[in-house]
Amino acid sequence: MVACGSNDDPAASGSDLGLIKSGTLRIGTLTDAPPNVYVKDGKFTGFDNDLITAVAAKLNLKPEFVGTDFSALLSQVNGGQFDLGSSSITVTEARKKTVAFSNGYDFGYLGLNTTKTSGITTFDQLRGKRVVVVQGTVQDDYATGKGLDPVRVPNYNAALGQLKAGTADAWVSPAEIGEKMAKEQGGGTVILAAKELSDAPMAFAVAKSNDKLRGAVNKALDEVIADGTWSTLVEQYYPGRAVPATFKPGSGSVTPAASTTAAAG
């Protein structure tokens, strides 16, 4: 494992990172989007949140998670309510107008959730259907760009609820989240019918004015990629998922080490 930053480095203790509270990384996230960000047994967890917890440890910072809605998250980060946003946030040019982003740490797929009886099997069949999305997400952008006039809801549970209630024909989801929630909802009513690779990485959001924090997070992110933490979390939350050859996590200058779980086995 790569050691945490040395105590003689001001950034290592967070004293020069423009944090809301010295020594604490205040993180805005979601509570209902497994396997990426969610609450289990009263604790914020998931791939993204476990990863930022490891990044915070490299910086000798205590992570403090606060639940919010995705539609408000980016403005809350840039407005100083949170130091950082963690929620599988896909980097887009439009979002760069509100916040700055760390280097990418994950890739994602657009998902097509529907019901077994809908007859919908491809994204091409969505025109004229009642499509639900979470407001402000890349999936919202996708549906709007395709002229689908989507129904916007504040969170993933609400989107799933519309499918189960029959008030929506399809939900354009983050595929990993949509697939996991479909499996966990029981009864097999909701399914992930299709998915397609997104062409932009996911990253942590920081305020545009805080380049020092962004730089420190990027450095620590490379450290957790190099020491095997990133690979361990990928294996834990996305077992068997292939990583596209075009995706390089972090700065791209470090090679992901093997999972520490595999090394221990």
Side-chain angles (χ1 to χ4, degrees), residues 14-250:
S15 61
D16 193 32
L17 297 181
L19 301 176
I20 297 169
K21 180 181 177 182
S22 180
T24 298
L25 186 65
R26 185 174 171 87
I27 303 161
T29 188
L30 277 61
T31 62
D32 65 343
N36 303 73
V37 287
Y38 61 103
V39 172
K40 181 179 181 180
D41 299 328
K43 178 184 177 182
F44 285 92
T45 188
F47 175 77
D48 303 59
N49 286 344
D50 287 2
L51 182 64
I52 195 59
T53 295
V55 167
K58 297 293 186 184
L59 299 173
N60 290 335
L61 298 176
K62 177 184 177 182
E64 178 182 278
F65 293 97
V66 181
T68 188
D69 286 333
F70 189 87
S71 59
L73 178 57
L74 299 188
S75 61
Q76 289 170 334
V77 169
N78 206 51
Q81 188 169 339
F82 303 121
D83 296 310
L84 180 144
S86 168
S87 184
S88 295
I89 307 167
T90 302
V91 178
T92 68
E93 292 304 314
R95 289 174 178 173
K96 287 180 181 179
K97 296 177 181 178
T98 303
V99 294
F101 288 100
S102 70
N103 291 329
Y105 60 81
D106 200 9
F107 60 94
Y109 292 83
L110 291 170
L112 173 58
N113 281 82
T114 185
T115 63
K116 283 186 175 180
T117 57
S118 71
I120 299 171
T121 58
T122 69
F123 287 90
D124 294 338
Q125 295 174 282
L126 294 180
R127 189 167 298 278
K129 303 295 185 180
R130 185 175 172 86
V131 177
V132 64
V133 295
V134 173
Q135 183 177 355
T137 60
V138 171
Q139 295 78 40
D140 186 349
D141 294 342
Y142 173 88
T144 302
K146 294 292 185 180
L148 301 178
D149 191 23
V151 176
R152 297 176 176 86
V153 295
N155 56 57
Y156 297 114
N157 279 329
L160 182 66
Q162 290 227 4
L163 281 182
K164 293 172 68 176
T167 53
D169 301 306
W171 164 29
V172 180
S173 67
E176 289 89 353
I177 293 171
E179 183 173 30
K180 187 172 181 65
M181 292 183 75
K183 289 179 178 177
E184 291 181 347
Q185 55 85 35
T189 303
V190 177
I191 60 171
L192 183 76
K195 64 180 182 180
E196 61 182 56
L197 183 66
S198 174
D199 59 1
M202 298 174 187
F204 298 116
V206 298
K208 294 177 72 173
S209 61
N210 200 344
D211 282 342
K212 289 184 177 180
L213 176 60
R214 184 169 61 86
V217 167
N218 282 340
K219 180 176 182 293
L221 180 59
D222 273 358
E223 291 177 359
V224 300
I225 292 167
D227 72 13
T229 301
W230 182 84
S231 296
T232 296
L233 292 174
V234 169
E235 182 179 281
Q236 176 183 345
Y237 287 102
Y238 312 118
R241 185 185 70 166
V243 178
T246 55
F247 178 73
K248 305 295 182 185

